[in-house]
Amino acid sequence: MKKVVVMLLCAMLTMGSISACGKSESDKNGKNTVQAQTEDKTTEENKTENKQEDSNKEDSNKEDKEEAQSQEESEDTVDEEENMAEDTTMKVLKEDAGTIDYTNLEELNPEPGSHIAVVVKNTKSNFWVTVKKGMTAAVKDLNEKMGYKGDDKVKLSFEGPADELDVESQINTIDAVLAENPTVLCLSAIDMESCGAQLEEAMGNEIPVIILDSGVESDLVNTVCATDNYAAGAEAAKKMAEAIGDKGQIAVMAHAETSKSSQDREKGFTEEIAKNHPDIDIVNISHENEETSMSEMAEAVLVLYPEVKGYYCTNEYAANDVLDVVEASGKDITVLGFDAGKKQVNAVKNGKELGTFVQNAYGMGYATVIAGIRADMGLENDKFINTGYQWIDSSNVELPEFANYLYE
């Protein structure tokens, strides 16, 4: 029976494209690249969405729902946002994001009724919920500075597909948003090569485009506001090497292969291993797609490569699935991830996850809005706004100065 299971797993792995893993192309012919799909989001994420929308239940005016939601979130979380302003998440924007202080509103005088349109990969994940909090705070600060009320307020819309692999749905959303002629378009692209026509339309209508989180292949964008994902990936490789004694087999679970953030996190990790850790063998790299779940792929990897000592995951969904599979296997495998939803935070606290690289989601949202207003006013932005990242492990996960990095 075991031989039959292994044969089925091998067939499953070869359904995706085959590519080499490890330190050199000549050593990788026997390795498989696995593909996975984005499943329905977890019950916990749905709870996050429901909590985010609870404040809007009494609003019967559908057209004003988004604006009302942002306003209520701002008013209900004033104390939290003031704490954020003193936190390291905002300090990065002030001191290290670039040549400009992206917390400074002094030069900014947005037109009354300005519309900041945001289209992201999905709106439900803990990461994007936190990004939206940062954007809401920036819009609130701008309206307070200008004294805008009612229709004069700067408006924020925040949209995206339910499925982070649904490129077509995201493109349709961008088209609909551009038809509204927003002041600024802020975009995180699922497929970095898919938005060319939309970027050209935005340029033709003099709508500046700010890219956040994950870039696109285009010279038509004003700036990219993101994490240095390659650097974080390389640092993740060093953490993994140290944890497993710089020797043994490891695997990688990556999110959508078309995403620039996924590509950079994978590349930084694999290149650091190949260059500086010759006794570590990357036996498998799995990529999220629509055919097979990440959980199924991780299960297959642990059967086909029973000596795996470490698993590197490039986002929250990948880490959550791998954590479940590793726990079910009963094996002692070092899991290292990206992002910091509730499940990952708990895993770090109880020792099931070595640690996680956390993006400055709140700061990224705040800086994206500020950069968008600057672009609309013709003010200069850095070409890359580095919002930073933070390594979270058992030594700092419960320290208050790092609390605002956690997507909770």
Side-chain angles (χ1 to χ4, degrees):
M1 177 61 70
K2 184 175 180 180
K3 291 183 178 179
V4 174
V5 172
V6 172
M7 290 176 65
L8 289 173
L9 290 172
C10 289
M12 185 191 304
L13 289 171
T14 56
M15 288 176 65
S17 61
I18 305 299
S19 70
C21 309
K23 298 176 286 298
S24 67
E25 293 299 324
S26 61
D27 293 336
K28 303 171 188 172
N29 293 332
K31 309 295 196 284
N32 297 307
T33 293
V34 201
Q35 303 291 331
Q37 70 180 9
T38 300
E39 304 258 29
D40 291 338
K41 306 312 176 189
T42 61
T43 301
E44 177 183 308
E45 291 159 356
N46 290 332
K47 288 180 180 178
T48 301
E49 180 189 14
N50 292 337
K51 184 177 179 181
Q52 189 75 12
E53 295 176 352
D54 279 347
S55 61
N56 295 313
K57 288 182 178 179
E58 296 181 2
D59 188 347
S60 60
N61 189 333
K62 184 176 180 180
E63 293 181 357
D64 294 336
K65 184 176 181 180
E66 186 70 38
E67 182 176 0
Q69 180 181 6
S70 296
Q71 180 178 355
E72 289 172 8
E73 287 169 349
S74 298
E75 293 172 351
D76 291 343
T77 59
V78 170
D79 290 340
E80 177 185 349
E81 289 165 0
E82 287 176 352
N83 290 337
M84 284 284 196
E86 303 300 324
D87 182 85
T88 53
T89 57
M90 293 295 281
K91 186 177 180 181
V92 168
L93 304 187
K94 186 177 184 66
E95 300 178 358
D96 302 322
T99 62
I100 296 164
D101 175 3
Y102 292 94
T103 68
N104 187 352
L105 312 184
E106 185 176 349
E107 294 181 278
L108 304 187
N109 299 292
E111 292 291 327
S114 294
H115 175 196
I116 300 170
V118 184
V119 181
V120 297
K121 296 176 182 179
N122 77 68
T123 57
K124 297 181 179 181
S125 75
N126 295 316
F127 171 78
W128 289 114
V129 168
T130 307
V131 168
K132 186 178 179 181
K133 286 181 180 179
M135 290 183 161
T136 300
V139 169
K140 172 179 172 290
D141 289 347
L142 287 167
N143 283 325
E144 286 185 350
K145 173 184 183 290
M146 301 302 298
Y148 289 155
K149 297 181 179 180
D151 292 341
D152 286 345
K153 281 187 173 183
V154 176
K155 174 186 175 183
L156 175 73
S157 61
F158 193 92
E159 301 176 68
D163 186 337
E164 203 164 293
L165 291 177
D166 194 346
V167 177
E168 183 178 358
S169 177
Q170 189 184 50
I171 293 299
N172 291 338
T173 300
I174 299 170
D175 287 337
V177 164
L178 288 175
E180 298 176 359
N181 195 34
T183 307
V184 178
L185 173 64
C186 305
L187 172 65
S188 179
I190 295 173
D191 183 343
M192 65 180 187
E193 297 180 350
S194 67
C195 307
Q198 288 70 29
L199 295 178
E200 289 180 3
E201 181 181 350
M203 183 182 69
N205 291 321
E206 298 183 344
I207 301 171
V209 177
I210 309 298
I211 297 298
L212 69 154
D213 177 61
S214 198
V216 297
E217 296 293 324
S218 176
D219 295 328
L220 303 178
V221 303
N222 179 274
T223 184
V224 176
C225 184
T227 305
D228 187 341
N229 288 297
Y230 182 92
E235 191 171 341
K238 296 174 185 177
K239 295 283 187 184
M240 178 67 78
E242 181 181 2
I244 67 170
D246 215 16
K247 183 177 182 180
Q249 296 182 349
I250 61 175
V252 176
M253 184 67 72
H255 58 291
E257 193 172 12
T258 58
S259 167
K260 187 68 164 59
S261 62
S262 180
Q263 291 178 6
D264 287 348
R265 291 173 199 176
E266 178 186 327
K267 187 176 181 181
F269 185 88
T270 56
E271 290 189 353
E272 169 62 25
I273 293 293
K275 290 177 182 178
N276 299 313
H277 307 278
D279 293 326
I280 295 179
D281 186 14
I282 301 177
V283 296
N284 182 272
I285 299 176
S286 307
H287 291 106
E288 179 185 32
N289 75 7
E290 296 180 350
E291 295 179 3
T292 313
S293 73
M294 287 187 282
S295 293
E296 290 172 323
M297 294 298 95
E299 289 169 356
V301 167
L302 297 193
V303 171
L304 295 173
Y305 303 101
E307 302 302 317
V308 164
K309 296 172 64 177
Y311 226 128
Y312 167 59
C313 310
T314 65
N315 76 351
E316 180 180 359
Y317 297 136
N320 287 346
D321 283 356
V322 168
L323 284 167
D324 286 343
V325 170
V326 169
E327 183 175 9
S329 75
K331 294 186 175 183
D332 183 15
I333 296 174
T334 297
V335 178
L336 188 155
F338 256 85
D339 296 324
K342 186 174 182 179
K343 188 170 185 175
Q344 281 181 282
V345 170
N346 288 337
V348 170
K349 289 179 180 178
N350 63 32
K352 294 179 180 178
E353 185 170 4
L354 175 68
T356 183
F357 284 90
V358 188
Q359 299 184 84
N360 184 359
Y362 183 95
M364 187 183 297
Y366 196 102
T368 296
V369 168
I370 300 307
I373 295 299
R374 291 182 63 87
D376 180 58
M377 293 180 60
L379 299 174
E380 184 179 1
N381 283 316
D382 293 286
K383 294 304 293 181
F384 178 73
I385 302 171
N386 187 352
T387 53
Y389 58 85
Q390 177 65 49
W391 169 248
I392 298 292
D393 61 14
S394 59
S395 70
N396 62 5
V397 67
E398 298 188 272
L399 296 180
E401 56 264 41
F402 298 105
N404 288 328
Y405 275 101
L406 310 183
Y407 313 155
E408 296 184 284

